[in-house]
Amino acid sequence: MAVATSSVLDRPQRWDAAFDPEMTPEAVARLLKLAPFCDMKPDNFPKRLSLPDILQHDVRIRRFRSGEIVVREGDYGTSAFMIMSGAVRVVLGSLPASVLGRREPTRKGLFKVLAQIFAGGKEQESFKASQLKQDSRVTARKGKDDQVRVFLQDVPRLLDENKTATLESGEFFGEIAALSRMPRTATAFAQGDDTELLEIRWQGLRDLMKYDNQLHDHIDRIYRARALSSALREIPIFSHLSDENLKKVMAQTEFATYGDYDWSGEYKRLAQSGGAAQKPESIIAAEGDYPNGVIVIRAGFARLSQKFGNGNRTLNYLGSGQNYGLEEIAHNWRNVAAPVPLQHSLRVIGYTHVLVIPTSVMETIVLPSVPKNLLPPPVVENTDGVEIVTNADAAAKIGADTLEFLTENRFFNGTASMVIDLDRCTRCDDCVRACATAHDNNPRFLRHGPSNGNIMVANACMHCVDPVCMIGCPTGAIHRDAFGGQVVINPSTCIGCKACYNNCPYDAIRMVEIRDMDGEFMVDKDMKPIIKATKCDLCVEQMTGPACQRACPHGALVRVNLNELDAFARWLKR
């Protein structure tokens, strides 16, 4: 009898996919002669992550022509840039949306709203030529490397109308957005045809910072100077600090990242394979430990859990701007004789970027300046099997099973998730028809999706807090709208590259072949169909909001921010 043998596979390695497969040893040698790399000590790097290897696999050299956009304000990116030669101009104000490849915010008037109701019979995904016309102040075209490049036109006029700053050779930019996966804060474009930039993907930037103090200190200084002050001021507990005390807090604040930066790709593969078991979540802080500091979530999400029997129960999830550990630290500050440990564990969900303000700083600088009415109430120590948590009422109304369902499926990422009560839904499809009417006979969602009990979350764009679909869009076609943060697509600048479609972990984006007003498929000069990405835009141009929710005759459908558990709990118990 033949003996079964296991298949032998090569274990995936860190650099199976290089950032630039054509990066040459000569180019690496050139980089090693430039600052800051020439000042780095190779012995500080482990053999498996040597400095030459990082430069070989995690960077690429890019050349830009005058006026070519490098990064756009509001875009999400995963890489930083260093200027090797030439210069880059950073626009300090905001450019018009159409110049950045985005839709201008508009609302349909009353007559257009009425007209769309009686405009039946139109072919699906059909456009007028005027709807696909791009702004004359910007142009997009493919370069020799087949990459889409976007250029600003009439740069002298742009410089007259906007304040700009010039970055010279050796300077870094884009590192804060790359490491924290937050939107770019400004638009930058090349000045002159000899601009040469080194693009470093976040993995390489992370490792360079980890093993080289010089680069770590440089980016740390930039973060503290450009972003930390505003981030702390947004949190009520720090808003009362004087400028002098805020600087003291900033000097002691620590930065940390946990989990998988590319969580969405792995999650999507797991979902498509039938929901295989996910990797264990990293623990940021454990229940029962001493509170070493207040943890503020800057990007990503974390799970708040508590011991329950022999396991742990999810009680809440924390997103950007929320904090952990403040209740225990404030309690111990007021009750020195009866301190309490951390009452809950904090675990990474996917990827989390945090700020940590040490306990000593909280006790000596922050808490003495906070008005008593803003201090959290005393902590009631946890006993096994009893839930004691902020937002406990909402968690209890929602139920542990539903809360776990939302967490495991990452639905907390949505600011406008489509939730359907299957007990009330009669499958009449009025919501789908209303969506089609509001979008020129083009429905933008599918009335099915993952379910738990009588609750279903439909496959419709959730307008995520962490919109990974926006990462890598070459023209800025997918972006956040100026009205209220809705994620929308500009059909005139969408080139059908599928970047957003491939990135979205919730299957909320479709690729469609578009037609003209006569119903004929539009084709390019090679007679290939023109494809565009489409998705729910939350009826951003409608006067009355999401048509799907408004049309439901039984109140079975709601668009809800699943970061606001109180609102979701009220809807469940309506």
Side-chain angles (χ1 to χ4, degrees):
M1 183 176 65
V3 179
T5 58
S6 300
S7 299
V8 178
L9 301 175
D10 291 332
R11 183 182 296 276
Q13 299 298 316
R14 162 80 160 78
W15 286 313
D16 281 349
F19 198 32
D20 181 3
E22 298 181 0
M23 192 73 173
T24 64
E26 291 75 18
V28 173
R30 177 190 171 198
L31 292 176
L32 287 171
K33 295 178 182 178
L34 297 177
F37 309 114
C38 63
D39 298 322
M40 295 181 181
K41 297 180 179 179
D43 292 342
N44 291 343
F45 293 79
K47 291 182 179 180
R48 60 183 178 83
L49 286 173
S50 69
L51 177 58
D53 281 341
I54 293 174
L55 297 180
Q56 176 74 49
H57 297 94
D58 283 331
V59 309
R60 61 183 178 186
I61 298 172
R62 298 182 59 188
R63 293 168 180 82
F64 292 81
R65 295 174 57 188
S66 184
E68 184 176 349
I69 292 178
V70 182
V71 296
R72 273 177 297 261
E73 178 187 5
D75 277 4
Y76 283 70
T78 59
S79 56
F81 296 85
M82 186 191 84
I83 302 173
M84 296 176 63
S85 62
V88 168
R89 295 294 284 265
V90 178
V91 181
L92 302 181
S94 294
L95 294 174
S98 58
V99 173
L100 299 179
R102 298 166 181 162
R103 286 166 49 175
E104 293 283 3
T106 58
R107 292 281 195 203
K108 289 183 178 179
L110 178 60
F111 290 108
K112 284 189 176 181
V113 171
L114 293 175
Q116 70 189 13
I117 299 175
F118 302 102
K122 179 182 175 184
E123 292 284 351
Q124 288 194 4
E125 305 300 346
S126 55
F127 293 86
K128 296 178 182 178
S130 59
Q131 292 177 286
L132 301 179
K133 186 178 180 181
Q134 297 187 23
D135 193 299
S136 60
R137 292 171 291 181
V138 65
T139 182
R141 57 179 179 268
K142 284 190 175 182
K144 295 180 180 179
D145 54 4
D146 209 36
Q147 287 188 342
V148 177
R149 298 177 179 271
V150 182
F151 294 84
L152 295 173
Q153 304 298 312
D154 196 8
V155 171
R157 180 181 175 184
L158 183 147
L159 296 179
D160 289 339
E161 296 176 349
N162 298 271
K163 291 184 178 181
T164 63
T166 302
L167 301 180
E168 304 287 353
S169 178
E171 294 192 74
F172 279 83
F173 64 95
E175 64 286 335
I176 296 174
L179 290 170
S180 60
R181 197 156 72 193
M182 300 180 71
R184 305 286 190 186
T185 57
T187 297
F189 63 92
Q191 180 178 338
D193 287 333
D194 58 348
T195 301
E196 192 175 37
L197 304 182
L198 182 69
E199 184 177 7
I200 311 172
R201 61 179 174 182
W202 75 269
Q203 296 97 327
L205 189 64
R206 173 200 61 193
D207 291 338
L208 288 171
M209 291 177 60
K210 182 177 181 179
Y211 299 111
D212 180 72
N213 290 333
Q214 183 187 29
L215 187 59
H216 178 279
D217 293 344
H218 169 74
I219 292 179
D220 187 274
R221 285 194 301 271
I222 291 175
Y223 193 105
R224 293 179 192 277
R226 298 179 184 174
L228 184 56
S229 175
S230 58
L232 291 177
R233 286 292 189 197
E234 292 173 358
I235 303 170
I237 199 75
F238 299 104
S239 62
H240 301 275
L241 292 175
S242 65
D243 290 342
E244 182 181 355
N245 281 339
L246 183 65
K247 289 180 180 178
K248 293 178 180 178
V249 173
M250 289 169 57
Q252 298 296 319
T253 298
E254 303 167 5
F255 311 110
T257 57
Y258 299 88
D260 185 1
Y261 192 89
D262 293 322
W263 70 266
S264 59
E266 181 184 5
Y267 169 77
K268 187 171 185 177
R269 288 190 294 272
L270 288 171
Q272 291 174 342
S273 65
Q278 300 181 25
K279 292 193 304 185
E281 297 169 342
S282 301
I283 295 180
I284 302 175
E287 178 181 350
D289 286 354
Y290 173 78
N292 291 314
V294 171
I295 297 173
V296 179
I297 310 295
R298 282 294 290 145
F301 295 91
R303 182 200 302 261
L304 198 67
S305 63
Q306 192 173 66
K307 293 178 182 178
F308 188 79
N310 294 323
N312 290 276
R313 175 175 292 178
T314 298
L315 299 178
N316 205 345
Y317 33 81
L318 305 183
S320 178
Q322 294 180 285
N323 63 74
Y324 165 89
L326 175 61
E327 290 82 4
E328 291 87 346
I329 291 174
H331 175 98
N332 295 344
W333 176 67
R334 290 179 298 191
N335 301 274
V336 179
V340 298
L342 292 171
Q343 301 298 293
H344 315 102
S345 292
L346 191 67
R347 288 178 166 84
V348 177
I349 306 179
Y351 169 79
T352 308
H353 177 68
V354 303
L355 307 176
V356 182
I357 298 90
T359 299
S360 59
V361 175
M362 293 296 301
E363 293 177 338
T364 58
I365 300 176
V366 180
L367 293 176
S369 68
V370 177
K372 292 184 179 180
N373 64 316
L374 290 182
L375 289 174
V379 171
V380 179
E381 282 216 63
N382 178 36
T383 57
D384 189 36
V386 177
E387 296 180 8
I388 304 170
V389 62
T390 303
N391 211 11
D393 290 342
K397 292 176 182 177
I398 292 170
D401 188 49
T402 300
L403 195 61
E404 199 72 28
F405 164 71
L406 298 177
T407 306
E408 291 301 326
N409 286 281
R410 308 292 198 264
F411 291 140
F412 49 76
N413 199 9
T415 65
S417 301
M418 180 186 288
V419 182
I420 299 176
D421 184 339
L422 297 177
D423 288 345
R424 291 194 178 198
C425 178
T426 63
R427 284 64 169 175
C428 64
D429 268 351
D430 279 359
C431 55
V432 178
R433 283 188 286 272
C435 178
T437 299
H439 295 92
D440 297 324
N441 200 30
N442 301 311
R444 295 300 189 217
F445 75 94
L446 300 176
R447 190 180 50 77
H448 65 72
S451 61
N452 180 73
N454 67 316
I455 296 299
M456 180 179 76
V457 180
N459 288 133
C461 179
M462 303 192 303
H463 303 272
C464 294
V465 176
D466 183 11
V468 294
C469 59
M470 289 172 55
I471 296 173
C473 177
T475 64
I478 187 166
H479 59 281
R480 284 200 184 280
D481 188 83
F483 282 133
Q486 303 93 336
V487 179
V488 298
I489 297 175
N490 184 1
S492 67
T493 52
C494 173
I495 61 173
C497 67
K498 296 186 178 181
C500 59
Y501 170 82
N502 291 327
N503 285 342
C504 175
Y506 305 106
D507 293 325
I509 298 177
R510 294 187 302 130
M511 304 303 300
V512 299
E513 297 177 355
I514 64 172
R515 304 170 185 257
D516 60 25
M517 297 306 291
D518 295 325
E520 298 294 331
F521 285 108
M522 291 186 176
V523 296
D524 60 18
K525 60 182 180 180
D526 297 323
M527 300 304 292
K528 294 180 180 178
I530 293 177
I531 297 176
K532 302 279 185 180
T534 68
K535 57 179 283 299
C536 160
D537 62 0
L538 211 60
C539 294
V540 65
E541 295 181 344
Q542 301 295 321
M543 298 172 63
T544 52
C548 54
Q549 178 175 318
R550 190 177 66 253
C552 182
H554 311 292
L557 184 153
V558 68
R559 302 304 292 255
V560 62
N561 185 344
L562 290 177
N563 276 273
E564 298 177 359
L565 293 183
D566 284 323
F568 183 50
R570 286 194 298 271
W571 182 79
L572 287 176
K573 302 299 179 181
R574 66 200 183 285

